[in-house]
Amino acid sequence: MTATTKKTNKGAIEVDSDGPKSIIVIGAAEHNLKHIDVTIPKNTLTVVTGLSGSGKSSLVFDTIYSEGQRRFIESLSPYARQFLGMLEKPKVDFMAGLSPSISIDQKSVSRNPRSTVGTITEIYDYLRLLYARVGEPHCPQCRKKIEPQTSQQIVDRVLRLKEGTRIMIVAPIVRGRKGEYRKEFKDLMKKGFVRARVDGELIEIEEGLSLDRYFEHTIEVVIDRLSVAKKERARISEAV
């Protein structure tokens, strides 16, 4: 790691070539700030508190956020910048360690109790797409990587179990949703299914069966129950 030296009216400041581990603000004088110096560590939750009029918003919004946005816009192409416009540089002698920033004003926060920084700023949709396309899902219990399998691969994997092992083949109907599901149970009966696993408990499917509508439920219909044996390959294949 190498370091470079930045000169300010406060003296020389050494900054790592791969970026400082903190946001460094020297000589902030925006609005009612009196040339203050601040060092804010990265990758932590930092709260700025103080009396009304002490300069909290001037430091956070009008200095740090404003300069982060200004530098981000300057990094874009001239074509993109013409649609965004240029921001004025805040009154500050020196700043380092800034990244593209997001600001949420307390007056604009949604009243929805389920809102988060991601949903309010609309980056949630991009993060969801990123995890879906680039992420590698793993089982939360055994930690093994989840990969798509063909029906034949599933059957071969089942047959590798110890001879005589009892297995139950189920298919998901509902996962973590509220409702009574009378219609779903009635349709399963018409198709000839007699058992289902509801919230982890095995039950018989009967006429008029319904669940508590105010609780979330997970319903899996039982396709077959059998013991592992090579002679059962056709039966397992049909169930899968």
Side-chain angles (χ1 to χ4, degrees), residues 31-192:
H31 301 315
N32 55 342
L33 297 177
K34 305 299 183 182
H35 298 278
I36 66 169
D37 303 339
V38 177
T39 299
I40 302 175
K42 291 185 176 181
N43 302 319
T44 61
L45 179 63
T46 300
V47 179
V48 180
T49 63
L51 298 174
S52 177
S54 59
K56 302 183 297 296
S57 297
S58 297
L59 174 64
V60 176
F61 292 110
D62 301 326
T63 302
I64 298 176
Y65 168 70
S66 179
E67 180 65 4
Q69 284 293 93
R70 189 186 70 84
R71 294 185 184 184
F72 173 67
I73 292 175
E74 283 189 346
S75 69
L76 301 177
S77 66
Y79 177 77
R81 289 202 301 268
Q82 69 177 332
F83 298 103
L84 299 174
M86 293 300 296
L87 300 176
E88 291 186 7
K89 188 179 186 304
K91 296 178 182 178
V92 60
D93 294 335
F94 172 77
M95 293 186 70
L98 289 177
S99 303
S101 51
I102 294 175
S103 169
I104 302 176
D105 191 282
Q106 61 181 354
K107 298 178 183 178
S108 63
V109 176
S110 171
R111 294 183 181 275
N112 187 340
R114 300 180 64 184
S115 295
T116 65
V117 173
T119 57
I120 293 172
T121 58
E122 298 182 354
I123 64 172
Y124 171 76
D125 295 327
Y126 296 100
L127 289 175
R128 185 171 60 177
L129 180 63
L130 178 66
Y131 277 95
R133 297 294 185 183
V134 182
E136 295 182 348
H138 289 71
C139 174
Q141 296 178 346
C142 66
R143 303 298 180 183
K144 292 183 178 179
K145 184 178 178 181
I146 299 175
E147 297 178 315
Q149 300 181 80
T150 64
S151 298
Q152 189 59 46
Q153 288 175 323
I154 295 174
V155 172
D156 292 340
R157 189 165 185 174
V158 170
L159 290 175
R160 286 199 295 268
L161 296 173
K162 185 178 179 180
E163 187 92 4
T165 301
R166 292 288 297 173
I167 64 171
M168 181 168 61
I169 301 174
V170 300
I173 303 298
V174 174
R175 288 183 176 175
R177 298 207 326 259
K178 295 180 181 179
E180 295 182 341
Y181 300 108
R182 293 177 183 268
K183 181 179 181 301
E184 285 74 6
F185 286 125
K186 187 175 181 180
D187 291 342
L188 291 174
M189 284 187 64
K190 289 181 179 179
K191 294 178 181 179

